[in-house]
C-alpha cells in the first residue's frame, strides 16, 4: 500500500482541480490567480515526489500499476476517478490556505458574508482580488452555483451543474427534504465517503455553501436550542462548532 495515502489523495485532488482551472480563459487572463495556481501546482508536484520517494509501483484493486515520475499524476488521477467517480472539483489548497492555523478563516468568512448579503450582485459584489475572490471564481461561479439569469435579468443562486457538483448537491437536497432532522457533521461525513471522497476541509466547505443557499428552508438548532438569526457570525459559529448543530 502507498504511504501517507490520505495526504497523497488530497494533494492529487488539488492538482487535478488546479489543472482544470489553468485551462480556463478567465484564469489565463488573471495574472495573480494564474501565479497562485502555478505555485500551488509545482508545490504539490514536489510533495508527491517526496511522499512516494520515487517508487516505481503502486497497487490498486489487486493490480500493480507501474509508473514513472513523469506519468505519476496521470496514474493517480485514474485511480481517484475510479474510486470516487462523483468527486466535485474543488481547489482544496485555496480553502486550506485561508483556514491554516486560525479558527475563523477570514477569507471564507468574507465569502460567506457576500453570499448572504449580495446574492443579486455580479461576483457577489467582491471587489478587486482578495482571497475570497479566487474561491468564488474557482468554485461558486465556475460550478454554476451563482450565475446570471437572463430571464429575470439578475444574478442569483441555483443548483450547480458544472465541476461535477450536481451529484453532491442532489444528495444534500434529498437529505434536507426526506430527513426530519440531521446533524451538520453528518453531511460533512457523507461527502468524505464514497462516491465523493472529499477531504474534510473541502467537504465542510461544500456543505456550508449548501446551507447558506438553502438557509430559508432549514431550521438550525445549537444543542437543541433554536437559532433565530443567520448572519455571517452565526455561520462562523456553526463552522467552529459544527458538532453542536442540527
Amino acid at each position: 500500500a502507498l504511504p501517507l495515502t490520505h495526504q497523497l489523495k488530497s494533494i492529487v485532488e488539488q492538482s487535478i482541480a488546479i489543472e482544470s482551472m489553468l485551462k480556463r480563459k478567465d484564469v489565463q487572463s488573471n495574472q495573480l490567480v494564474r501565479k497562485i495556481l502555478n505555485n500551488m501546482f509545482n508545490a504539490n508536484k514536489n510533495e508527491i515526489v517526496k511522499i512516494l520517494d520515487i517508487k516505481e509501483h503502486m497497487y490498486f484493486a489487486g493490480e500493480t500499476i507501474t509508473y514513472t515520475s513523469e506519468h505519476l499524476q496521470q496514474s493517480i488521477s485514474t485511480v481517484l476517478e475510479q474510486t470516487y467517480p462523483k468527486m466535485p472539483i474543488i481547489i482544496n489548497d485555496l480553502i486550506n490556505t485561508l483556514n491554516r492555523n486560525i479558527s475563523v478563516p477570514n477569507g471564507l468568512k468574507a465569502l460567506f458574508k457576500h453570499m448572504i448579503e449580495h446574492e443579486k450582485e455580479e461576483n457577489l459584489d467582491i471587489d478587486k482580488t482578495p482571497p475570497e475572490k479566487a474561491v468564488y471564481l474557482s468554485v461558486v461561479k465556475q460550478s454554476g452555483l451563482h450565475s446570471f439569469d437572463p430571464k429575470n435579468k439578475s444574478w442569483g443562486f441555483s443548483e450547480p451543474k458544472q465541476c461535477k457538483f450536481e451529484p453532491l448537491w442532489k444528495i444534500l437536497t434529498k437529505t434536507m427534504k426526506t430527513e426530519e432532522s440531521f446533524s451538520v457533521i453528518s453531511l460533512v461525513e457523507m461527502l468524505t465517503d464514497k462516491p465523493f471522497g472529499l477531504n474534510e476541509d473541502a467537504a465542510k466547505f461544500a456543505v456550508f455553501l449548501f446551507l447558506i443557499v438553502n438557509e430559508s428552508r432549514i431550521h438550525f438548532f445549537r444543542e437543541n436550542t433554536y437559532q433565530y438569526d443567520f448572519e455571517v457570525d452565526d455561520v462562523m459559529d456553526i463552522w467552529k462548532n459544527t458538532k453542536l448543530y442540527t
Side-chain angles (χ1 to χ4, degrees), residues 166-177:
E166 190 171 7
L168 173 154
W169 208 260
K170 284 186 180 300
I171 195 170
L172 292 177
T173 301
K174 181 180 179 181
T175 301
M176 179 182 67
K177 290 181 176 180

Side-chain angles (χ1 to χ4, degrees), residues 22-178:
L22 286 170
K23 295 176 182 177
R24 288 173 41 191
K25 291 183 179 180
D26 58 335
V27 171
Q28 292 174 356
S29 63
N30 190 316
Q31 183 177 357
L32 176 60
V33 174
R34 193 174 66 250
K35 181 179 179 181
I36 292 173
L37 293 176
N38 277 316
N39 288 342
M40 288 165 53
F41 185 83
N42 290 332
N44 285 354
K45 184 176 180 180
N46 292 336
E47 191 65 22
I48 289 172
V49 171
K50 185 189 302 182
I51 290 174
L52 294 178
D53 194 26
I54 315 299
K55 292 179 171 59
E56 297 179 351
H57 299 87
M58 59 182 176
Y59 305 92
F60 175 68
E63 297 182 0
T64 301
I65 301 175
T66 303
Y67 64 86
T68 62
S69 58
E70 290 79 10
H71 300 96
L72 173 61
Q73 177 144 335
Q74 180 180 351
S75 299
I76 298 178
S77 297
T78 300
V79 170
L80 276 176
E81 288 170 2
Q82 292 181 32
T83 306
Y84 303 107
K86 294 183 179 180
M87 180 190 294
I89 297 174
I90 297 178
I91 300 182
N92 301 335
D93 203 50
L94 284 178
I95 299 169
N96 294 341
T97 298
L98 297 172
N99 194 18
R100 191 169 296 140
N101 297 324
I102 52 177
S103 59
V104 180
N106 293 325
L108 290 187
K109 181 177 180 179
L111 174 64
F112 295 158
K113 181 177 176 65
H114 279 274
M115 290 181 68
I116 293 170
E117 299 178 0
H118 300 285
E119 175 186 352
K120 300 300 182 182
E121 302 294 327
E122 183 177 3
N123 293 331
L124 296 177
D125 199 35
I126 303 175
D127 193 23
K128 300 181 180 179
T129 55
E132 61 268 24
K133 183 66 168 289
V135 182
Y136 167 77
L137 291 174
S138 64
V139 181
V140 180
K141 188 174 184 179
Q142 179 67 9
S143 68
L145 178 59
H146 190 240
S147 60
F148 183 76
D149 184 349
K151 182 177 180 180
N152 297 322
K153 297 182 179 180
S154 66
W155 287 82
F157 295 125
S158 60
E159 181 179 327
K161 297 184 181 297
Q162 305 299 321
C163 302
K164 297 175 67 175
F165 253 79
E166 190 171 7
L168 173 154
W169 208 260
K170 284 186 180 300
I171 195 170
L172 292 177
T173 301
K174 181 180 179 181
T175 301
M176 179 182 67
K177 290 181 176 180
T178 59

